[in-house]
Amino acid sequence: QQQDAEKETVMDTQCPFCSVQCTMQLLEQRTGDRKKYKVLPLKDTVSEGRLCIKGRNAHQHTLHKERILHPMKKVNGQFVEITWEEALFFIKEQFSTLQEHDGPDSVGVYGGGSLTNEEAYLLGKFARVGLKTKHIDYNGRYCMSAAASAMNEAFGLDRGLTNEMEEVPLAECIILAGTNIAECQPTLLPYFRKAKDNGAFIIAIDPRETLTTKLADLHLKVKPGMDAALVNGMLKVILDRNLHDEQFIKERTEGFDEVLKQISGVDLDAIADLTGLPREMIEYTAVTFASVSRAMVFTARGVEQQTHGFDTVRNFINLVLATGNIGKPGAGYGAVTGQGNGQGGREHGQKADQLPGYRSIENPEHRNYIANLWGIPEKELPGKGISAYEMMEKIADGEIKALFIMGSNPLISTPNATLAAQALKRLKCLVVVDMFVSETGRLADLLLPSSSYLEDEGTLTNLEGRVTLRRAARSCPGEVRHDWQILCDVARVLGKEAYFSYTKAEDIFNELRVASKGGKADYFGITYSRLKDERIYWPCPTEGHKGEGRLFSETFARPNGKAKMLPVINHVPKERTSESYPLHLTTGRVMSHYLSGSQTRRSPALSARQIESFVKIHPKTANAFGIKDGTMVYVDSSRGRMKARGAYDDSIREDTLFIPFHWGGEQNVNNVTYQGLDPVCKMPGFKVCAVRVSPVIDL
Ligand code: SF4
């Protein structure tokens, strides 16, 4: 009896599933051969001791029997286990042969927004120094690129939130535009509840009703893709009624006259027509927002994943600037990041146009700084590459012949996924680094087993721009290696060992600190030893610096210190509904799943909460198309078809369907989504496309 007594291991760790980065303790209790797990939240992060269902069950996928534990090579259509040295030799042989024949850019690298800062940094260096290719981009292109480019343009700096979350309850009015915080970042919801308790008026902008819109005092059920026009309507009301902050505009911004000129031509009735919202509702919203002294605007993918996402975010920033709502407590702008390291993942150089520290790959000074740090001549540093979707096109064209994917599942997450499937199948060599055989992994020639959040050490940057250190809670199972080790190993066989001689994640972080020094995202003052005791905001230029929680109190990060306003036209989505495709489709998340679901669908507790995809449809629309509640339907666009169960929802717009994006195969909504790109940030138009719906008839 006694030998069966419980033994307990306590592991401190951090949830990998969203940008809040809640911390927790995982308790492993062993009785004989049986193991039980218990999760306890820790109180030391922005979520103040709260965990959502994803965090409470995150460990389940890491223990799943389908974890890849050895390198595996495809032989005659089947994966077979091979040694690491065989795997590395295979990569060297394949990549070197292709690059000798077709040049360095024949190999591409594709990263992810869930990688740690160290891994994101090293992946960028690996592409440019290890492989000498310009082709690197990552799945964050589909996530944060619109908000990041808009903030950079307007403020000279892109950090998710301009304020600490602690300031949200100070706001008197809050706009939540295209963000479903209640399901995507549930542990942040109490900040908004507290604001409401303090008397704040909350306005939600979303074509459908969600748990977040239910919290709001006013829900604007806007037509999909018409958010920029809605903001123009609000600006028209504010400027016509002199509700703008003249002094702030004069002293702290530029470009207002052009905005004023644009807005003077705006017709409110036309805006009402475009947005599908009553004119009085737009007027009421504008007056309410502009009449308080502290207001905040939060945007997310609903308004950003559009073919004019950059301009839409710019217009929300115009609203914030026109009313002087930035740089003071309880007033500011925030883009609510989705991925586990959505903020850090976009700062350290895994983007086609970017070097570490948010440096530009086209700026000679920036190139010199990084080339010197990396110990290569500046002329050997490749130039600007292309965005994630454009990479898929180049693969489909046969120009990129091999791809190295780390931390992403593009077969599911790429819009117009049929093209992604055709492209990936055309590759001469596909290497996928992952924990599981994902849908993309099934197409791979080589699979390399990578570590999970429980095994990784490294830093992450949360949606506020606060850097945390995640310690490894246990060692890697089987022959699993950390992503950074895999990059160093591949670099070694490619003859680049001298540039990748790290022995631990901290070595990489120390190089990243120098790489970021003096850049827009300055981490130089942040060290592992400081992170043992604190979570530090960037910019943090020196070790004595506390980091900045609230940005732009006195000046913006642009050369003249002023924020830039920009006139935005009444954009309409590039793809309009038609007789053949009469409905709008919009996409999003459900609480129990993360991204392509590769991890959460392997967590029994999470999977059980939402086992399959669904199509939200208004009952009137369903009747018109002969669809019964709970029956299977096809959704078609000019690009392809998906199939899922119809689910009646009388709160969604009658002209709009909603489908979550966590499933692959015939349930993959990206079989039908629109691949047109925003001209500035290259964000695809995921959130609005034209579709038709029909019942599945079993013959
Ligand atoms: Fe926290 Fe986000 Fe994880 Fe939920 S998914 S526990 S909110 S980090």
Side-chain angles (χ1 to χ4, degrees):
Q1 299 291 316
Q2 207 48 39
Q3 72 197 31
D4 281 346
E6 276 199 350
K7 287 187 187 153
E8 189 170 83
T9 306
V10 180
M11 299 173 256
D12 282 3
T13 186
Q14 190 179 36
C15 176
F17 286 145
C18 91
S19 56
V20 188
Q21 301 171 359
C22 305
T23 51
M24 60 182 116
Q25 279 190 332
L26 178 63
L27 275 53
E28 185 185 76
Q29 296 166 335
R30 297 181 297 281
T31 308
D33 287 340
R34 280 187 304 124
K35 285 180 186 167
K36 269 195 337 200
Y37 292 89
K38 211 169 162 183
V39 175
L40 300 174
L42 293 171
K43 288 205 169 149
D44 54 354
T45 57
V46 66
S47 60
E48 298 173 323
R50 297 179 285 269
L51 284 176
C52 79
I53 179 89
K54 285 205 285 288
R56 289 190 182 278
N57 295 287
H59 60 284
Q60 290 185 355
H61 76 274
T62 72
L63 308 168
H64 198 279
K65 61 179 187 320
E66 288 173 10
R67 279 284 296 270
I68 312 171
L69 299 176
H70 311 271
M72 293 201 291
K73 185 178 162 191
K74 199 177 271 164
V75 180
N76 297 327
Q78 301 290 321
F79 283 115
V80 294
E81 279 180 31
I82 57 171
T83 66
W84 271 102
E85 281 314 303
E86 286 169 329
L88 296 169
F89 180 73
F90 175 79
I91 297 176
K92 173 188 158 61
E93 198 183 47
Q94 295 287 318
F95 285 10
S96 302
T97 307
L98 284 169
Q99 288 190 311
E100 270 161 32
H101 193 262
D102 296 302
D105 295 337
S106 58
V107 177
V109 174
Y110 196 102
S114 301
L115 302 178
T116 62
N117 292 327
E118 290 80 354
E119 290 159 355
Y121 169 80
L122 207 61
L123 194 68
K125 182 175 175 183
F126 170 75
R128 286 147 182 152
V129 178
L131 289 170
K132 293 191 169 185
T133 177
K134 68 176 181 185
H135 286 313
I136 174 166
D137 212 50
Y138 80 127
N139 66 11
R141 177 72 62 180
Y142 300 154
C143 184
M144 294 307 298
S145 59
S149 53
M151 279 191 272
N152 261 323
E153 271 292 301
F155 305 141
L157 192 77
D158 157 38
R159 199 185 76 185
L161 308 189
T162 61
N163 305 61
E164 308 177 28
M165 277 307 296
E166 282 85 346
E167 289 190 9
V168 170
L170 303 177
E172 296 164 281
C173 182
I174 299 171
I175 290 181
L176 299 170
T179 172
N180 184 7
I181 285 174
E183 291 198 62
C184 303
Q185 296 84 13
T187 58
L188 295 185
L189 204 61
Y191 287 103
F192 296 90
R193 284 214 186 96
K194 211 161 159 189
K196 212 170 140 92
D197 290 345
N198 292 345
F201 190 85
I202 299 188
I203 299 158
I205 301 172
D206 199 316
R208 68 188 184 109
E209 196 172 290
T210 66
L211 290 177
T212 307
T213 64
K214 283 183 185 159
L215 176 83
D217 299 284
L218 180 64
H219 177 191
L220 307 184
K221 223 180 265 185
V222 65
K223 270 190 202 165
M226 299 302 185
D227 310 274
L230 169 61
V231 179
N232 274 343
M234 290 176 67
L235 285 167
K236 172 77 176 164
V237 176
I238 290 167
L239 297 176
D240 280 358
R241 301 187 191 194
N242 277 325
L243 294 171
H244 54 294
D245 187 334
E246 236 178 289
Q247 193 184 348
F248 181 91
I249 291 168
K250 196 166 159 231
E251 290 172 5
R252 304 220 34 209
T253 73
E254 62 179 19
F256 175 69
D257 289 344
E258 288 81 22
V259 173
L260 188 62
K261 199 167 152 208
Q262 152 80 9
I263 296 300
S264 64
V266 165
D267 173 359
L268 264 187
D269 290 321
I271 298 286
D273 198 41
L274 281 171
T275 57
L277 300 168
R279 177 188 167 123
E280 300 71 34
M281 192 183 257
I282 298 169
E283 287 171 332
Y284 180 72
T285 306
V287 171
T288 305
F289 182 81
S291 299
V292 301
S293 56
R294 296 184 305 275
M296 289 180 133
V297 173
F298 292 88
T299 65
R301 306 311 82 73
V303 302
E304 295 163 18
Q305 285 181 325
Q306 299 183 8
T307 48
H308 47 268
F310 168 80
D311 268 359
T312 302
V313 176
R314 285 298 307 257
N315 227 13
F316 279 106
I317 292 175
N318 282 339
L319 186 65
V320 164
L321 294 171
T323 51
N325 273 306
I326 195 157
K328 55 188 183 183
Y333 167 75
V336 186
T337 314
Q339 293 202 65
N341 194 25
Q343 180 65 47
R346 69 185 193 255
E347 297 165 352
H348 308 299
Q350 59 170 333
K351 277 168 81 176
D353 48 356
Q354 185 208 65
L355 290 170
Y358 247 128
R359 289 184 158 85
S360 164
I361 202 157
E362 294 180 293
N363 180 316
E365 213 178 296
H366 294 183
R367 290 174 61 83
N368 266 319
Y369 181 82
I370 295 298
N372 277 339
L373 176 72
W374 287 350
I376 58 169
E378 184 273 332
K379 63 178 183 326
E380 283 186 18
L381 194 57
K384 183 178 168 185
I386 50 177
S387 71
Y389 186 77
E390 292 168 311
M391 273 177 76
M392 286 298 152
E393 290 178 324
K394 285 268 183 269
I395 295 169
D397 289 350
E399 204 174 311
I400 298 175
K401 294 182 165 52
L403 192 64
F404 183 94
I405 300 178
M406 181 168 267
S408 195
N409 190 4
L411 189 63
I412 295 193
S413 54
T414 303
N416 187 19
T418 316
L419 175 111
Q422 284 163 359
L424 295 171
K425 282 177 191 160
R426 198 172 171 194
L427 284 164
K428 293 203 167 139
C429 180
L430 173 60
V431 179
V432 174
V433 183
D434 208 332
M435 281 188 280
F436 301 104
V437 188
S438 68
E439 289 76 1
T440 304
R442 274 185 219 135
L443 300 179
D445 299 290
L446 183 70
L447 288 167
L448 299 178
S450 70
S451 46
S452 76
Y453 78 101
L454 277 182
E455 297 126 25
D456 269 340
E457 177 173 80
T459 60
L460 299 114
T461 307
N462 81 352
L463 80 165
E464 303 169 285
R466 207 173 336 194
V467 184
T468 65
L469 175 59
R470 180 166 71 198
R471 293 286 187 193
R474 60 171 204 174
S475 51
C476 293
E479 291 181 35
V480 165
R481 292 184 183 176
H482 299 294
D483 286 355
W484 68 265
Q485 285 177 317
I486 295 170
L487 294 173
C488 293
D489 288 340
V490 179
R492 170 171 57 81
V493 297
L494 294 172
K496 299 290 168 51
E497 189 174 9
Y499 303 97
F500 292 84
S501 55
Y502 312 98
T503 57
K504 54 187 185 306
E506 187 176 1
D507 297 342
I508 304 164
F509 187 73
N510 284 333
E511 187 176 300
L512 176 160
R513 291 172 54 216
V514 180
S516 74
K517 190 173 184 211
K520 285 186 175 180
D522 194 334
Y523 279 57
F524 187 67
I526 305 173
T527 62
Y528 267 35
S529 85
R530 285 186 75 187
L531 290 173
K532 273 183 204 153
D533 306 313
E534 42 180 340
R535 292 170 161 71
I536 305 165
Y537 287 96
W538 69 259
C540 180
T542 63
E543 286 189 41
H545 196 283
K546 285 190 174 144
E548 284 178 44
R550 188 186 320 121
L551 297 173
F552 315 135
S553 296
E554 279 158 25
T555 183
F556 290 94
R558 297 184 61 250
N560 64 3
K562 292 188 172 189
K564 189 170 161 193
M565 298 180 80
L566 183 89
V568 172
I569 61 166
N570 292 333
H571 283 286
V572 294
K574 276 194 190 151
E575 185 169 81
R576 309 303 306 273
T577 52
S578 63
E579 213 174 301
S580 306
Y581 301 106
L583 299 168
H584 299 292
L585 166 68
T586 192
T587 69
R589 299 168 184 249
V590 298
M591 194 191 286
S592 58
H593 286 289
Y594 179 63
L595 302 185
S596 69
S598 173
Q599 294 166 48
T600 46
R601 280 186 277 113
R602 287 180 172 92
S603 168
L606 295 175
S607 192
R609 283 174 76 103
Q610 188 63 54
I611 202 100
E612 60 178 10
S613 186
F614 56 84
V615 180
K616 286 260 180 196
I617 183 167
H618 195 283
K620 278 192 193 158
T621 315
N623 278 335
F625 288 91
I627 287 159
K628 295 208 167 26
D629 194 18
T631 60
M632 298 304 286
V633 302
Y634 290 125
V635 177
D636 291 274
S637 73
S638 61
R639 291 156 293 281
R641 161 174 281 190
M642 66 86 61
K643 181 180 164 188
R645 203 170 293 283
Y648 281 13
D649 178 355
D650 61 10
S651 72
I652 196 167
R653 290 180 59 89
E654 288 176 33
D655 58 5
T656 302
L657 305 178
F658 169 82
I659 306 175
F661 54 61
H662 308 294
W663 285 268
E666 62 181 10
Q667 295 187 76
N668 187 0
V669 69
N670 284 324
N671 294 341
V672 296
T673 51
Y674 182 55
Q675 79 285 6
L677 303 179
D678 180 293
V680 178
C681 63
K682 308 293 180 186
M683 168 72 87
F686 284 103
K687 280 295 181 281
V688 200
C689 71
V691 296
R692 67 169 170 260
V693 64
S694 56
V696 173
I697 298 166
D698 292 324
L699 297 173

